[in-house]
Amino acid sequence: MSLEPPIDTEFEGTGRSARKRRAILEAATTSFLSNGYLGTSMDEIAALAHVSKQTVYKHFADKERLFVEIVTGTVNEISDPVYDEVLNLADSGDIEADLGDLARRLLEGVMQPRLLALRRLVIGEASRFPALGQTFYERGPGRTIGALAAAFERLASRGLLRLDDAELAATHFNWLIMSAPLNRAMLLGSDEAPPVAELERGAAAAVRVFLAAYGND
Amino acid sequence: MSLEPPIDTEFEGTGRSARKRRAILEAATTSFLSNGYLGTSMDEIAALAHVSKQTVYKHFADKERLFVEIVTGTVNEISDPVYDEVLNLADSGDIEADLGDLARRLLEGVMQPRLLALRRLVIGEASRFPALGQTFYERGPGRTIGALAAAFERLASRGLLRLDDAELAATHFNWLIMSAPLNRAMLLGSDEAPPVAELERGAAAAVRVFLAAYGND
């Protein structure tokens, strides 16, 4: 008996079915971002992915499920690496430097053009399809703020932060970093990331405000 | 010769033309919010307002101009009263109390259901129609942050705040207050304002963080 973990060909594999699945996801992302959620049909996605409509339905029960999969995939792809860094923050030896690094990484992640476009699409459809926004919120800001809160709790118990409510402090940190550029990008419709120097200045200023309120010195 | 200012019946008056104009704006708001920007036609707006299509075009050159008018009207209606309060802040005798009042008022304004729905619509269309988002940004957050910066500058010169960059401090204040509930509402698609007690707690916490960073004591 092999002790190798089973290879999940459906999701990660290189087989024919996995290739088709990826082609469908790619085609669907293109369609959704160009034509909006309502303006995209399963027929169109099938044509663009060069598969039959039955194949699309074999992989994804309906358009909403397919969209949720795209949101989850995109948000995870961008936030997974940063998520680990957030958890590591709990053991920080130099909190000011590490918060600064983390702030820059969070900001770079959230300002990626594809994620900005997807966020705009999800917001535009949020009243009609709240499940889409719910998924985005939970996988995105909800998850980051949760991980930050856990790290801040631990930093407070190590005497490096001073706080009563770690969730609130995490919310402040998250939005101090990203609100200004994110809300500008949302409204102004620009997917071009701001210059690195500007992001760095913004991140440093956010950390300064955060530590003035929650630092322990 | 009369010294009375001319009555602008076209915009504010009670004449037939002004009544029609208001009916068109109301019909257009309903259509845009229900069917999106692309899904709304001038024909439909004319029918809903019980006027001819020519009348619609007499008042508004095209759909984009009409939409910009709605955004401007809605944002101004909500932000005008708060705007005056922001300017008065410069003369504050009790900065902590006055910042707290202002934070609550800004938060209540930005969380009004019609403004939330309009913001979602504008964001959803921002890539296709950047002029819509530009208008929303300038009349909304841009204008508030500008007024806050002017007030903070004056408060700093009176020795009540400590800051190098009033625009940055204003940006921090604005987003500390509204980011968390606003971004939740955007993604979760809920137009129900959070309970007053929750808004008040959020506003108070934002002021606390702001004064820790920028207060002068």
Side-chain angles (χ1 to χ4, degrees):
Chain A
M1 201 180 97
S2 163
L3 289 174
E4 293 276 271
I7 293 167
D8 187 351
T9 48
E10 186 68 11
F11 287 85
E12 299 289 343
T14 53
R16 207 161 149 254
S17 173
R19 273 202 310 277
K20 281 189 181 176
R21 194 174 188 280
R22 275 199 298 274
I24 295 165
L25 285 170
E26 217 165 283
T29 304
T30 304
S31 290
F32 283 130
L33 291 181
S34 325
N35 310 320
Y37 184 77
L38 278 178
T40 296
S41 70
M42 292 295 250
D43 279 323
E44 199 187 308
I45 292 168
L48 202 61
H50 303 293
V51 301
S52 71
K53 200 169 156 182
Q54 285 89 321
T55 303
V56 176
Y57 280 110
K58 209 191 95 200
H59 286 275
F60 304 97
D62 53 34
K63 191 166 80 167
E64 188 165 329
R65 223 75 64 91
L66 176 49
F67 189 81
V68 162
E69 189 76 14
I70 287 171
V71 168
T72 311
T74 307
V75 174
N76 285 356
E77 189 189 314
I78 291 173
S79 75
D80 278 350
V82 194
Y83 187 76
D84 291 339
E85 201 173 323
V86 175
L87 296 179
N88 290 337
L89 183 70
D91 304 316
S92 170
D94 181 346
I95 189 174
E96 191 167 351
D98 289 344
L99 282 175
D101 281 346
L102 184 60
R104 274 191 299 280
R105 296 251 291 151
L106 285 169
L107 198 45
E108 275 162 25
V110 86
M111 296 301 286
Q112 289 197 21
R114 204 155 51 103
L115 192 60
L116 290 178
L118 201 60
R119 184 187 282 261
R120 255 188 237 109
L121 175 57
V122 165
I123 289 176
E125 300 295 351
S127 326
R128 267 185 295 250
F129 305 101
L132 310 182
Q134 183 89 29
T135 303
F136 197 107
Y137 187 82
E138 284 168 6
R139 303 304 305 169
R143 184 172 174 239
T144 304
I145 290 170
L148 283 169
F152 288 173
E153 191 84 61
R154 171 98 182 96
L155 288 167
S157 77
R158 291 177 54 209
L160 296 170
L161 290 179
R162 212 176 30 173
L163 46 83
D164 302 323
D165 182 340
E167 182 87 14
L168 180 65
T171 304
H172 284 153
F173 184 74
N174 186 72
W175 296 119
L176 269 170
I177 295 165
M178 57 185 72
S179 279
L182 182 58
N183 282 290
R184 272 183 76 91
M186 283 301 100
L187 286 169
L188 300 185
S190 159
D191 288 343
E192 232 172 278
V196 174
E198 196 181 311
L199 292 184
E200 286 188 355
R201 263 200 310 278
V207 170
R208 210 164 51 236
V209 170
F210 178 79
L211 286 176
Y214 295 109
N216 198 7
D217 41 38
Chain B
M1 198 179 100
S2 164
L3 288 171
E4 290 278 271
I7 293 166
D8 187 352
T9 48
E10 186 69 11
F11 288 85
E12 299 289 344
T14 52
R16 208 162 148 253
S17 174
R19 271 202 310 277
K20 281 190 181 177
R21 192 174 190 278
R22 275 200 299 275
I24 295 165
L25 285 170
E26 216 165 285
T29 305
T30 304
S31 289
F32 284 131
L33 291 182
S34 326
N35 310 321
Y37 184 77
L38 278 178
T40 295
S41 70
M42 293 294 250
D43 280 321
E44 197 188 309
I45 292 169
L48 201 61
H50 303 293
V51 301
S52 72
K53 201 169 156 181
Q54 286 90 320
T55 304
V56 176
Y57 281 109
K58 209 191 93 200
H59 287 274
F60 304 98
D62 53 35
K63 193 166 77 166
E64 187 164 330
R65 224 74 64 91
L66 177 48
F67 189 80
V68 162
E69 189 77 13
I70 286 171
V71 168
T72 311
T74 307
V75 174
N76 285 357
E77 188 189 315
I78 290 172
S79 74
D80 277 352
V82 194
Y83 187 77
D84 291 339
E85 201 173 324
V86 175
L87 296 178
N88 290 336
L89 183 69
D91 304 316
S92 171
D94 180 346
I95 189 175
E96 190 168 352
D98 289 345
L99 282 175
D101 280 346
L102 184 60
R104 273 190 300 280
R105 297 249 293 151
L106 285 170
L107 198 44
E108 274 162 24
V110 85
M111 297 300 287
Q112 289 197 22
R114 203 155 51 103
L115 192 60
L116 290 177
L118 201 61
R119 184 185 281 260
R120 256 188 235 110
L121 176 57
V122 166
I123 289 175
E125 300 295 350
S127 326
R128 267 186 295 250
F129 305 101
L132 310 183
Q134 183 89 29
T135 303
F136 196 107
Y137 187 82
E138 282 167 6
R139 304 304 306 169
R143 184 171 174 240
T144 304
I145 290 170
L148 283 169
F152 288 173
E153 192 84 60
R154 170 97 182 98
L155 288 167
S157 77
R158 291 177 54 210
L160 296 171
L161 289 180
R162 212 178 29 174
L163 46 84
D164 303 323
D165 181 341
E167 181 88 15
L168 180 65
T171 304
H172 283 152
F173 184 73
N174 185 72
W175 295 119
L176 269 170
I177 294 164
M178 58 185 69
S179 281
L182 182 59
N183 282 288
R184 273 182 75 93
M186 282 300 101
L187 286 170
L188 301 185
S190 161
D191 287 343
E192 233 171 277
V196 174
E198 196 180 312
L199 292 183
E200 287 190 353
R201 262 200 311 278
V207 170
R208 211 164 49 236
V209 170
F210 178 80
L211 285 177
Y214 295 108
N216 198 7
D217 42 37

